[in-house]
């Protein structure tokens, strides 16, 4: 069974870059048709899909966050990472990494928003709280 674990700083200052890592065990980042996503949930709001890394190493991002987002991987460590630049307090959220078999439905926008649901993914990390504040 694939397990995921997020790590990174819990506090980031405005205008800086948020950097998180997801460590994967029980499965490989390069297994065919595995898609590795980042999802976040701001306080009092629903879950939002941020982007994914395909098993091939290519990436796709939410159009609303694309200009500030980068997802990369280190296959030697079986880890993938999220970088979100120029953060503001609106980026405060619980951040999750998640896995799907095939393209997650969350990556299809609904009225311009990327709604992530638990059933869109078959494995989730426990989540990490990131607060943007000076």
């Amino acid at each position: 069974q694939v397990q995921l674990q997020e790590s990174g700083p819990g506090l980031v200052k405005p205008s800086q870059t948020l950097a998180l890592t997801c460590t994967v065990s029980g499965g490989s980042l390069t297994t065919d048709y595995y898609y590795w996503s980042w999802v976040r949930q701001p306080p009092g709001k629903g879950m939002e899909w941020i982007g994914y890394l395909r098993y091939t190493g290519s990436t796709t991002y939410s159009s609303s966050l694309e200009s500030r987002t980068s997802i990369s991987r280190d296959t030697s460590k079986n880890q993938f990472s999220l970088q979100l630049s120029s953060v503001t307090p609106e980026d405060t959220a619980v951040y999750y990494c998640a896995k799907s078999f095939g393209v997650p439905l969350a990556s299809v926008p609904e009225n311009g928003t990327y709604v992530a649901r638990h059933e869109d993914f078959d494995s989730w990390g426990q989540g990490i709280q990131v607060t943007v504040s000076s």
Side-chain angles (χ1 to χ4, degrees), residues 19-130:
L20 299 174
T21 296
C22 183
T23 300
V24 179
S25 58
S28 171
L29 292 178
T30 60
T31 298
D32 285 355
Y33 307 115
Y34 280 10
Y35 286 66
W36 307 91
S37 288
W38 286 98
V39 171
R40 68 182 184 179
Q41 185 168 25
K45 297 184 179 180
M47 290 192 291
E48 175 187 21
W49 175 76
I50 299 169
Y52 64 60
L53 170 77
R54 291 181 187 85
Y55 58 99
T56 59
S58 62
T59 53
T60 297
Y61 304 119
S62 155
S63 58
S64 59
L65 296 170
E66 184 171 15
S67 63
R68 300 195 290 130
T69 305
S70 177
I71 297 174
S72 60
R73 69 180 184 180
D74 184 338
T75 55
S76 68
K77 297 180 179 179
N78 218 31
Q79 295 176 332
F80 65 106
S81 298
L82 168 71
Q83 290 198 317
L84 184 66
S85 64
S86 304
V87 296
T88 72
E90 290 187 347
D91 293 309
T92 294
V94 178
Y95 286 76
Y96 299 90
C97 53
K99 169 194 158 291
S100 61
F101 185 84
V103 177
L105 187 60
S107 65
V108 179
E110 300 176 15
N111 297 319
T113 61
Y114 295 83
V115 178
R117 300 176 179 86
H118 276 284
E119 58 266 31
D120 293 339
F121 304 92
D122 51 54
S123 300
W124 288 80
Q126 65 182 25
I128 183 169
Q129 172 70 48
V130 179

